[in-house]
Amino acid sequence: MDESITITDNRTGETAEIPLLDGTVSAKAWSNLLPGIWFDDPSFSATSGADSDITYLDGAQGLLRYRGYPIEQLAETTSFLEVAHLLVRGHLPDGPQLKQWQSEIGEAAPIHENFHKRILEGFRDDAHAMGVLVSTIAAMSTFWPESKDVENPEQRQAEIVRLIAKMPTVAASAYRRNVGLPYVFPDPELDYTSNFLSMMFKTGDSPYVVDPVLHDAMDMLFVLHADHEQNCSTTTARVVGSAHADPYVTISSAAAALYGPRHGGANEAVLRMLENIGNHRNVDDFITGVKAGDQKLMGFGHRVYKNYDPRARIVKDAAHRVFEVTGTNPLLDIALKLEEVALNDSYFIDRSLYPNVDFYSGLIYQSMGFPVEMFTVLFAIGRTPGWLAHWDEMLSQNSRIARPRQRYTGPADRDVPSIDVR
Ligand code: CMC
């Protein structure tokens, strides 16, 4: 045994040596010695829920790698579809593989007409885009019943293509319905991100011409969001998928987790926070309120990063490039002042609170013309290959159904009283 720990049950004096593997101890070895004694870890802060080849994250050092490649290099040199291929197929595509992958995704991008007519039209006019996205991904489960064959790796790959391909179509259609614009059908001649921007913003019959700087920023933001190992939504996908639910309801449940403001919903919450602060002169008062516990500084803090989120640094640089095209975002001054004040304040220093990926991304999205309600949808499009890669990996490992234990804290055994004495 190379590295191990020894534990002693002080009730019996029994000891056991448990091997350490990559910083983890096997719960099985633990349970053999201490059956019926569970780890009390409600937010899974100290629990490894997966063996995964996909993403490496070192929160103390601020490192993030997809299948070994540093996020900085991927963001600078590869397109989102190349990264999606890396995540779900395990390797970066060569030239012919990329061409094939682009055409598979392009062909699968259209959605069923009933989807537009019956499903999207059924929502209220002011329906939040994330509510629409979560419901419509789940509804797709009814279009492809063969997707339930989740133990078949080829079927899984077919559904992976469909989901990556259709997410932008669904997202853009949800937006166009809300603003009362006609749907734009996907154009297989366009690359993934141009096609999405065209489906979002095209008006009239002439082709939508996308600015290359804005295109590259959008594509890179998708890359930065593509995976983040066992975050709340990915863990949700693995848990729901472990019940052998089909991929549509599985990805819908992941998107539902992402919607929360502590997770992907933070990009929307940051923008609303900046708008509420209103002026950089109000930042000190706002920070005083944060320290008093009145509210959180949205876009700051992370369960795993105790250092600057490497994605936030890249997003901040990209924001400056985007603003050269769109003109500066008036909220930028407030964001910069917030960051400066927080990074020099002992409250944030002592708790290792740094900007995360959501702090600056919303400013870019807003400057590109996306309404605030679409921000988390953009995160979801980017994260889809990551969710699917984990879903496929978990099923290929023949994982057991996720089923944690609990510490019961309710009443002891008691008799049901009759209704007149309750
Ligand atoms: N503003 C002010 N105080 C904070 C913040 C914040 N954004 N985040 C954490 N803290 C405080 C927290 O109150 C606690 O203080 P104390 O020790 O006095 O009780 C301390 O820092 C430790 O925080 P925690 O609650 O143990 O952190 P957590 O790991 O449970 O939560 C988090 C992580 C991301 C939910 C939290 O930092 C947060 O709510 N941040 C704002 C929302 C946000 O930006 N979310 C996006 C995360 S990155 C994108 C993604 O991957 O989802």
Side-chain angles (χ1 to χ4, degrees):
M1 206 179 281
D2 287 345
E3 284 192 309
S4 65
I5 58 167
T6 299
I7 52 171
T8 306
D9 183 346
N10 291 330
R11 298 165 305 177
T12 60
E14 268 188 74
T15 66
E17 190 175 0
I18 304 186
L20 278 174
L21 181 64
D22 297 332
T24 63
V25 290
S26 151
K28 200 164 180 207
W30 178 279
S31 298
N32 286 344
L33 174 69
L34 297 168
I37 296 199
W38 315 122
F39 295 98
D40 184 28
D41 186 20
S43 61
F44 312 129
S45 304
T47 299
S48 162
D51 286 357
S52 181
D53 291 347
I54 302 169
T55 288
Y56 175 79
L57 204 171
D58 181 332
Q61 306 279 337
L63 298 178
L64 175 62
R65 300 179 195 136
Y66 299 161
R67 299 205 185 267
Y69 300 115
I71 191 66
E72 293 80 4
Q73 285 182 33
L74 291 169
E76 183 149 353
T77 61
T78 54
S79 69
F80 175 61
L81 271 200
E82 287 173 271
V83 166
H85 191 284
L86 171 70
L87 293 172
V88 300
R89 299 267 162 96
H91 60 97
L92 283 168
D94 63 18
Q97 286 167 338
L98 180 59
K99 225 168 153 210
Q100 165 73 17
W101 177 237
Q102 277 165 336
S103 91
E104 274 179 59
I105 299 282
E107 277 167 28
I111 46 180
H112 198 289
E113 211 187 349
N114 274 352
F115 185 86
H116 283 133
K117 286 202 183 134
R118 306 255 168 84
I119 299 179
L120 279 180
E121 298 298 335
F123 287 97
R124 283 169 54 130
D125 285 344
D126 59 355
H128 192 287
M130 270 308 279
V132 175
L133 187 81
V134 167
S135 326
T136 49
I137 303 171
M140 283 199 272
S141 147
T142 62
F143 295 175
W144 295 287
E146 68 272 24
S147 69
K148 296 186 190 331
D149 187 10
V150 296
E151 288 179 276
N152 176 347
E154 281 170 25
Q155 190 64 46
R156 292 206 296 272
Q157 284 301 324
E159 305 309 334
I160 284 172
V161 169
R162 278 191 184 133
L163 268 154
I164 294 174
K166 290 179 201 302
M167 285 295 276
T169 318
V170 174
S173 300
Y175 163 73
R176 307 240 352 159
R177 195 205 69 93
N178 269 28
V179 292
L181 286 169
Y183 302 118
V184 175
F185 285 91
D187 180 349
E189 298 299 314
L190 296 177
D191 71 86
Y192 189 85
T193 295
S194 299
N195 182 42
F196 171 57
L197 293 172
S198 161
M199 288 190 291
M200 280 289 301
F201 297 124
K202 184 174 188 285
T203 48
D205 290 334
S206 30
Y208 176 74
V209 182
V210 52
D211 182 285
V213 174
L214 303 189
H215 168 277
D216 292 354
M218 184 78 256
D219 201 72
M220 192 203 62
L221 283 162
F222 287 151
V223 169
L224 294 183
H225 287 90
D227 194 42
H228 213 232
E229 51 120 292
Q230 307 307 318
N231 56 86
C232 182
S233 56
T234 303
T235 298
T236 302
R238 290 188 87 118
V239 169
V240 175
S242 80
H244 286 190
D246 74 58
Y248 298 95
V249 292
T250 299
I251 297 306
S252 165
S253 67
L258 187 77
Y259 191 3
R262 285 171 158 187
H263 191 9
N267 54 16
E268 175 173 345
V270 168
L271 232 284
R272 298 201 189 282
M273 172 188 77
L274 296 175
E275 283 171 350
N276 282 340
I277 295 172
N279 191 300
H280 68 272
R281 283 188 290 277
N282 300 332
V283 161
D284 288 327
D285 283 350
F286 178 81
I287 292 287
T288 305
V290 170
K291 294 195 296 185
D294 297 345
Q295 67 263 317
K296 286 268 189 291
L297 173 52
M298 300 311 285
F300 259 67
H302 201 274
R303 170 62 56 79
V304 184
Y305 289 121
K306 299 303 168 198
N307 201 325
Y308 213 101
D309 179 339
R311 303 167 302 170
R313 218 184 287 282
I314 302 171
V315 177
K316 191 176 172 184
D317 290 346
H320 292 296
R321 289 197 296 278
V322 167
F323 298 156
E324 276 174 25
V325 175
T326 60
T328 193
N329 188 318
L331 299 174
L332 177 66
D333 281 351
I334 305 174
L336 289 170
K337 178 85 191 290
L338 272 174
E339 180 183 349
E340 186 199 323
V341 172
L343 293 182
N344 289 294
D345 188 298
S346 59
Y347 175 95
F348 298 89
I349 296 169
D350 294 349
R351 291 169 177 77
S352 301
L353 300 172
Y354 291 88
N356 59 49
V357 69
D358 292 317
F359 193 65
Y360 285 105
S361 58
L363 292 175
I364 299 185
Y365 299 146
Q366 190 183 50
S367 294
M368 288 176 71
F370 288 99
V372 177
E373 291 77 14
M374 283 296 288
F375 291 4
T376 311
V377 173
L378 301 174
F379 194 151
I381 295 173
R383 184 55 57 88
T384 299
W387 288 331
L388 290 165
H390 283 272
W391 169 73
D392 184 53
E393 180 178 66
M394 180 269 305
L395 289 166
S396 70
Q397 292 164 336
N398 295 319
S399 297
R400 298 170 77 202
I401 189 167
R403 205 314 184 180
R405 301 294 183 139
Q406 66 163 16
R407 186 157 63 94
Y408 177 69
T409 54
D413 185 25
R414 52 186 176 159
D415 293 324
V416 176
S418 64
I419 193 161
D420 50 321
V421 296
R422 282 176 210 167

